[in-house]
Amino acid sequence: MTSLLIIAVLVLLGIAIWQLTKIFHLTQIGSSSNTENSEVANDRDNNVNGYLMFAFVGFIYIFTIYSLVKWGNLALGTPASEHGPQYDNLMAISMWIIFIVQIITQFLLHYFSFKYRGNEKKVAFYYADNDKLEFIWTIIPVIVLAGLILYGLYAWTNIMFLDEEKDDAIYVEVYAKQFSWEVRYAGPDGMLGKANVRYIEGVNTMGIDLSDPAAQDDITTNELHLPKGKKVIFKFRSQDVLHSAYMPHFRAQMNVVPGMVTQFGFTPTMTTEEMRNDPQIIEKVANINKIRSARSAELTAKGESALDPYTFDYILLCNKICGASHYNMQMKIVVDTEADFNTWLKGLKPLSVAVKEAQQDAAAPAAPEAPAAEADTTATVAADSTMVAQLIRK
C-alpha cells in the first residue's frame, strides 16, 4: 500500500511540474524578450545538437575501448571441451562483425546528423528512392547473417549430435532439485535404469526404479567426476521446477525440465589440474585472491574470520532463477585422467546395495537397553535396607 501511495505522489508531482511549465510558456507569449516561437529550433539549436551528436559518438567509442580494457579479462578463457573452440570461434566472429558494423554505422549516423543539421538557408532535397542502394544494404546483411546461421547450425549439430551406440561413451544423469544437484553413473552395463519421482524413498533420493535390471548397477553420488578424453552423454531430470545445467568452462548448457529428459554430450579435454596451470586461470585466481585478501584484512580488523584463498574448480551452476536459494545451487566438477576416474568410480557402491543395507539396518532388532548402573542399584538397596531396619526397631 505504501508503494502505491509513493507512486501516486510521484505521478501527481510530475503532472504538477508539467502544468507549471505550460503556464510558464504561456506567460512568455508576446513578451519583448521572446520574438520567436521557442518550440521551433533555430540555427543555434541545430548547431548545438549537431556537435552533441559528435560528442556522443566519441563517448560511445571511448566507453567501448574502456570496457574492453577494464573487463576484457573476465572472459572465460581456454575452453575445456572438444567443441569449445568451435563455440568460441562462432562467438568471436559474431562479436567482431557486430563491433565493426557498430563502429561504421554509429559514425555515419552521427556524421550525417551533423552534416545535414537544420539550417534556415537550406531547403531539404526530396529523394524518393534508389534501388541500387536498397539492394546493397539489403543483400549485405542477408549474406552475412546467412553465413552466421549456417556456421551456427553446423556447430550446433556437432555439439548436439549424440552417437548413443558409441561403445566407449559414459552415461551420466544429472538430477536437479531445489536447490542442489545429484549425479547417477551407469554401471558396467553402460545403461542407466528407469527412474521416476514416485520411487523416491529413503536413500533412493533420485527415484530410480530398482525393479529395472539396468538400474541394479547404477551408482549415485553427490560429486560429478568426468574422465579426460572420454565422451560423456548427460541425461537431465528435474524433481520440481525448471532448472538449467550450466557448465561454463565446457561451453555447455541445457534446460532441465520437469517431466521430461533432456540431454547433451561433450568430451572433456583438460583435467582440473591442467586447467589450474593454464596462464589465464592463474591470472584470474591471482586477481580473485587479491580481492579476497583486501576483504580479509577488513574482516580481521573487525575481529571476524578471514576468507579462505580461492582455488580454481570447474563448476556446475543453475542458470534459471529457480527460487530463493538459486544463487547457491552449484556443484564442483572434477575432471580426472581416465585411470583416476575409474579408480574413483570403483570406490562407490551401487544404489541397489545401498538400499539393501538401509533395509537391513531398518529390519535389524533394536539393541537391548543397557541395565542400570550397579552403583545406582546398590544405593537403592542400601536405602531400602535402612528403611526396613528402622521399621523393625519401631
Side-chain angles (χ1 to χ4, degrees), residues 374-392:
E374 292 184 4
D376 295 338
T377 307
T378 305
T380 304
V381 171
D384 292 342
S385 301
T386 303
M387 292 176 64
V388 170
Q390 290 175 353
L391 290 172
I392 292 173

Side-chain angles (χ1 to χ4, degrees), residues 175 194-202 204-211 237-240 258-260:
Y175 188 63
K194 297 177 182 178
N196 193 295
V197 293
R198 296 182 178 86
Y199 298 122
I200 294 177
E201 183 181 2
N204 187 6
T205 55
M206 296 179 67
I208 298 170
D209 183 2
L210 293 176
S211 65
R237 287 192 301 130
S238 172
Q239 178 176 302
D240 34 51
M260 66 182 295

Side-chain angles (χ1 to χ4, degrees), residues 75-87:
L76 286 171
T78 306
S81 61
E82 278 190 356
H83 72 264
Q86 189 176 30
Y87 178 97

